[in-house]
Amino acid sequence: MADLTTNSAQDPAVWPGRCHCGTVRFEARLTDGLRTIRRCTCSLCSMRGAVAVSAEMGGIRVLQGQDALTSYRFNTGTAEHFFCARCGIYTHHQRRSNVNQYGVNVACLEGVNPFDFAEVPVYDGVNHPIDIGAPARLAGVLRFVKP
């Protein structure tokens, strides 16, 4: 299991990341390190299965492969999901729930694996807080248990 308290960057808040093929490379300045892990039950998040952490707007700096980043919007078009056009890996997205914040795919962060987390909170994205006018609701917890 990885040491989830440190990274190889000089600034401990900044995590280097990349897509699967390495075409897209970036740095993410995380809001509260890896303590903001979450998943969502919306149709896209359910299908892609990624665990995300938070970075404020301006907290993602693409170092290489900006031209290979493709984006996708659906439903209201507010959230913008970015992925590598070559390998298809989702790297990050601008959140619908907070347009001043990004969700960053932890699997793209150097030295981090989604299975490093014993528990990941899962939020109700089907009944999105903006749609129902209520705070985000915890839908459950995803657990990884080693045999």
Side-chain angles (χ1 to χ4, degrees), residues 114-133:
F115 300 110
D116 290 335
F117 303 95
E119 293 187 345
V120 176
V122 180
Y123 287 90
D124 184 357
V126 173
N127 301 297
H128 197 279
I130 291 176
D131 296 339
I132 63 172

Side-chain angles (χ1 to χ4, degrees), residues 3-7 11-15 28-38 51-56 95 101-106 109 112 117:
D3 178 359
L4 300 178
T5 59
T6 61
N7 64 57
D11 182 342
V14 176
W15 289 73
R29 177 174 291 281
L30 302 182
T31 305
D32 192 16
L34 299 173
R35 290 178 284 280
T36 59
I37 59 165
R38 68 179 85 171
V51 174
V53 288
S54 301
E56 296 303 315
R95 289 201 164 117
Q101 197 174 67
Y102 287 114
V104 181
N105 181 355
V106 298
L109 299 177
V112 183
F117 303 95

